Amino acid sequence: GVPSDLTIECDAILGEALVTAVDNCAGSLPVIFNEVIGTGCPYTITRTWTATDLCNNEVVGTQIITLIDTVNPVFGNVPNDVIVECNAIPDTASVTVNDNCTAAIDISFTEITTTGCPYTITRKWVAIDDCQNADSVVQVITVEDTTAPIFGNVPSNVTVECDAIPSVANVTATDNCLGNIDVEFSETQTSGCPYSIARVWTATDSCGNQTIASQLIIVEDNTEPVLVNVPNDVTVDCESIPTVANVTASDNCTPN
C-alpha cells in the first residue's frame, strides 16, 4: 500500500495512505510513519513508512509528494472604474487578496495622476505569492469639473448721486476644485445725464467653467450748483454803482 510519488497543487495534499507490513515469520507488523516537509517553491513532502521484525530486518517505503503552485492570487473588494467631480474623489479602497498556498501576501499599491481636464487617477494593486505567481487589478478614476466658480461679496445694483459713487467691491471667487481663484474685473461707463457705470467680474476655472457677476450703477445729479460771492442788493447814487462782482459757482458733479 505504499503510494507512488506525486506532483500536485499545493492545496490538494492527500491524506496519509494506509500502509501495512507483513512478515514471513511474525505476520502483520506495526508500521511507523514519518513525514518531512521541505521549503521553497516547489517544495516536497517526504513520507516514509518503516516496519521492523523481531530479528531487526527492516523495510522502508517512501513517497515523495512534490507540491507546485500555478494559481495566481485572487483579489477581493476591487473598486469599479468611476467618473466623479473633483471634490468627490473616493478614498483608496481596502483591497484584499487570497492565495491557494501562500497564507499572507503583501499587496503593492501605486497611483498615477495625469494632468488636464478631465484628468485620470489610475490606482493599481499587485500581489505576488511565494511561487512568483502574480496578478494585478486596476481602478481608473476619471475626474471631471462641470461646476462653475461661485462668487462672494458681489454688490447690488444702485442708483446714487454723482458724488457718492461706491468704490469697486472686493469680489472673491471659490471653485470646487481649485479653491480660491483669480477674478478679472472690467468697467464701462456711458455718457449723458444720468449716466451708468457697468462693473463686471469674471471667474474662470482650469476646465473652462465660467461665472460672471455684474453691478449696474446709475449716476444721477439732482443737486443744483452753488454760487459763491454773490453781492447783496444795494441802493446807491448814480456815480457809485459797484463793479460787477466776481461770482463763482461749484457743483457736486461738474467741476467748473
Side-chain angles (χ1 to χ4, degrees), residues 10-252:
C10 54
D11 56 350
I13 298 176
L14 301 177
E16 179 188 339
L18 179 61
V19 175
T20 60
V22 178
D23 186 65
N24 61 332
C25 295
S28 295
L29 295 176
V31 177
I32 298 173
F33 173 73
N34 185 56
E35 182 176 84
V36 177
I37 300 176
T39 59
C41 187
Y43 69 96
T44 60
I45 299 175
T46 301
R47 291 176 172 177
T48 58
W49 293 265
T50 303
T52 306
D53 64 15
L54 297 176
C55 292
N56 290 321
N57 299 303
E58 184 180 84
V59 64
V60 179
T62 301
Q63 179 192 33
I64 298 177
I65 304 172
T66 302
L67 293 108
I68 61 175
D69 180 5
T70 61
V71 179
N72 291 336
V74 178
F75 281 100
N77 197 37
V78 178
N80 296 323
D81 295 344
V82 290
I83 300 174
V84 297
E85 284 283 312
C86 53
N87 57 343
I89 298 172
D91 295 333
T92 302
S94 179
V95 173
T96 60
V97 65
N98 292 309
D99 188 67
N100 61 329
C101 296
T102 305
I105 299 181
D106 292 332
I107 301 175
S108 62
F109 172 75
T110 57
E111 182 176 279
I112 298 174
T113 302
T114 64
T115 59
C117 188
Y119 66 93
T120 60
I121 300 172
T122 301
R123 293 172 173 171
K124 184 177 182 179
W125 295 265
V126 177
I128 304 175
D129 66 18
D130 289 344
C131 291
Q132 301 305 302
N133 299 302
D135 198 8
S136 63
V137 290
V138 173
Q139 179 194 30
V140 177
I141 302 169
T142 302
V143 183
E144 296 182 334
D145 180 6
T146 61
T147 303
I150 298 175
F151 279 115
N153 197 37
V154 178
S156 302
N157 297 336
V158 290
T159 299
V160 296
E161 284 285 310
C162 54
D163 55 353
I165 298 172
S167 58
V168 178
N170 182 25
V171 175
T172 59
T174 57
D175 186 64
N176 63 328
C177 296
L178 303 176
N180 294 327
I181 61 174
D182 294 336
V183 178
E184 295 181 358
F185 172 73
S186 63
E187 182 179 275
T188 57
Q189 180 175 317
T190 63
S191 59
C193 189
Y195 67 93
S196 64
I197 300 172
R199 292 174 174 172
V200 178
W201 295 268
T202 304
T204 307
D205 65 22
S206 58
C207 290
N209 300 302
Q210 188 177 86
T211 300
I212 298 175
S214 62
Q215 178 192 33
L216 182 63
I217 303 171
I218 304 298
V219 182
E220 298 180 336
D221 181 5
N222 298 313
T223 303
E224 296 174 347
V226 177
L227 292 172
V228 179
N229 199 33
V230 177
N232 296 322
D233 294 342
V234 291
T235 301
V236 296
D237 283 331
C238 58
E239 72 274 13
S240 300
I241 297 171
T243 59
V244 177
N246 182 25
V247 176
T248 61
S250 63
D251 186 64
N252 63 330

